[in-house]
Amino acid sequence: MAAAFVMAPHHFAFAQASGDKPAPSDPLEKFLHQYVEHAGLPGGVVAIGYGAGNVRYAATGYASVRPETGMTRDRQFYIGSLTKMMTAVVTLQLASEKRIDLADPIGKYLPAEFRDRIANANSATIRDLLRNSSGIPDYLDGEFFFELVGRDPKHGWRNVELLSLIADRDAYFAPGTNYAPSNSNFILLGVMIEAVEGDHIEAVFNRRIFEPAEMINTSFGRYPRPALLARGFDDADGDGQLEDVTDYDVGDQLADGGVISTAEDMVKFARALFVDGVLLGPNALERATTDTAFAGDGSYGYGLMIGASDWGPVWGHDGIYFGYSAEFSWFPEQDTVVVFLANGRALNEVPTVTSMLMTGLFGKPE
């Protein structure tokens, strides 16, 4: 997500290696410290959750710089597109309750004035949106949304407000014929969820995901920013340096990326979804991970990236939000989840945290 609005810059340089700070002795902390330093990130937290229920954590860097505060594992972060997994879960719950049908065209649930203005709305099904195979154009294409954010940084965007930004654009392709990631798909699913439930998206997620999974430090973004939220840093003005962008609302209440969470809560989400059956039944989960669209290096299921590794399948998502980045990877054969949350976006090219941890976690591939 590239921002094009101009803000008053306050540049921060993050010196990770401090002379009065002993080098971490825990191997996971040492790895994370080196990774964050090399990536040019302010700070980060990693959690590795195992099938037996135990979790390993590491935290490094800074949660804020004014005042300077060290990162701790209990910090909240925007999780960006990891939110899409949750939007998909709620959609599948509604389908299992026969409140919706995955074969319904999304236009059925949109305000009448937008049904004919949004490309493919009357032919793309809910299933197409879940798989990013709808051809509906991404409202983030171009810079218009970020210009709006720059003019009104604390707007409080709602899913239904973005319909006018999705409307009157050309479709990418006919529904079901191709794959293209589009944030609009999950905005439209958010509009559908709020219409069917007759409630605000956060109330729905609280009831259907956060409370059942006991994710006590997870919510949508809000003002004032929660005390536990790590400050987010991004290169907002394109000068190659990071600025504090925490107070810009680029989607606090949006179904494509507005959730804030902790590493611990995202491990709880993995267990509730993939292990304990708290969120979805086995049939819905199987469909979500097997009814996929080809997506280059892997495929895309229902709000889930479905990939392969030398250690077997891996399901999850990555996420970027203004000032934050995230990784969530579930290894079904090992009953293991890796979560990485950072309060910045890498200034330097680095592999994913998950890919660098695999050999240490699972040994050399056979």
Side-chain angles (χ1 to χ4, degrees):
M1 187 188 289
F5 55 85
V6 177
M7 55 176 285
H10 294 281
H11 296 144
F12 301 107
F14 297 98
Q16 298 291 350
S18 172
D20 57 0
K21 212 173 185 179
S25 56
D26 175 72
L28 186 60
E29 281 187 25
K30 186 176 181 180
F31 158 77
L32 185 63
H33 176 83
Q34 292 172 341
Y35 182 92
V36 163
E37 187 175 46
H38 182 63
L41 291 164
V45 178
V46 68
I48 304 168
Y50 300 96
N54 51 320
V55 187
R56 288 182 66 193
Y57 295 97
T60 194
Y62 298 94
S64 71
V65 295
R66 290 179 180 168
E68 189 174 290
T69 309
M71 184 64 72
T72 49
R73 75 181 219 190
D74 61 341
R75 284 287 181 170
Q76 293 172 312
F77 300 79
Y78 280 91
I79 64 171
S81 289
L82 274 56
T83 303
K84 293 179 170 72
M85 298 188 292
M86 300 173 181
T87 300
V89 165
V90 173
T91 301
L92 288 168
Q93 289 174 346
L94 292 172
S96 70
E97 295 163 11
K98 304 291 193 280
R99 308 272 301 284
I100 62 169
D101 191 310
L102 297 183
D104 288 339
I106 190 62
K108 177 178 176 180
Y109 301 96
L110 301 182
E113 65 266 30
F114 287 104
R115 286 173 197 158
D116 295 325
R117 290 181 55 201
I118 292 177
N120 292 351
N122 293 315
S123 52
T125 64
I126 292 173
R127 170 179 173 265
D128 287 323
L129 272 67
L130 287 168
R131 304 189 324 154
N132 273 326
S133 61
S134 73
I136 295 172
D138 192 343
Y139 76 96
L140 289 179
D141 275 358
E143 301 293 354
F144 184 60
F145 178 69
F146 293 110
E147 290 169 6
L148 294 177
V149 170
R151 292 203 292 267
D152 189 3
K154 297 187 177 182
H155 178 83
W157 294 96
R158 297 287 299 273
N159 291 297
V160 72
E161 282 185 280
L162 267 62
L163 295 179
S164 60
L165 302 187
I166 303 170
D168 308 319
R169 298 187 182 209
D170 292 335
Y172 290 158
F173 46 76
T177 63
N178 209 332
Y179 166 87
S182 173
N183 292 282
S184 298
N185 289 324
F186 290 85
I187 294 295
L188 296 175
L189 291 171
V191 172
M192 178 273 294
I193 288 167
E194 290 183 307
V196 170
E197 287 279 77
D199 210 345
H200 186 275
I201 192 87
E202 180 161 33
V204 176
F205 277 42
N206 279 338
R207 193 164 59 238
R208 289 184 170 274
I209 297 180
F210 305 154
E211 290 170 8
E214 300 179 358
M215 299 165 69
I216 59 175
N217 288 310
T218 303
S219 68
F220 277 84
R222 64 186 182 276
Y223 291 106
R225 297 305 193 213
L228 272 180
L229 182 68
R231 302 296 294 182
F233 296 88
D234 217 305
D235 180 13
D237 51 11
D239 66 351
Q241 298 190 65
L242 297 175
E243 298 90 41
D244 188 329
V245 299
T246 316
D247 293 328
Y248 284 82
D249 170 20
V250 296
D252 278 355
Q253 300 291 312
L254 300 182
D256 63 337
V259 167
I260 58 176
S261 190
T262 64
E264 180 180 17
D265 274 7
M266 290 308 296
V267 171
K268 289 180 179 179
F269 176 72
R271 291 193 64 80
L273 180 57
F274 299 123
V275 179
D276 300 332
V278 170
L279 300 179
L280 289 180
N283 292 342
L285 186 58
E286 182 180 8
R287 185 165 183 189
T289 55
T290 58
D291 181 14
T292 59
F294 175 71
D297 291 338
S299 54
Y300 200 86
Y302 294 175
L304 285 167
M305 296 174 177
I306 307 298
S309 75
D310 291 337
W311 296 268
V314 53
W315 308 335
H317 223 292
D318 54 19
I320 289 176
Y321 192 87
F322 196 37
Y324 300 86
S325 52
E327 297 173 30
F328 176 100
S329 301
W330 171 254
F331 296 87
E333 291 181 1
Q334 290 84 7
D335 271 358
T336 298
V337 66
V338 177
V339 176
F340 173 62
L341 305 175
N343 58 336
R345 290 192 291 166
L347 291 176
N348 304 311
E349 286 291 323
V350 286
T352 64
V353 164
T354 306
S355 67
M356 297 184 72
L357 283 174
M358 284 186 196
T359 301
L361 284 176
F362 307 133
K364 290 185 178 178
E366 296 177 7

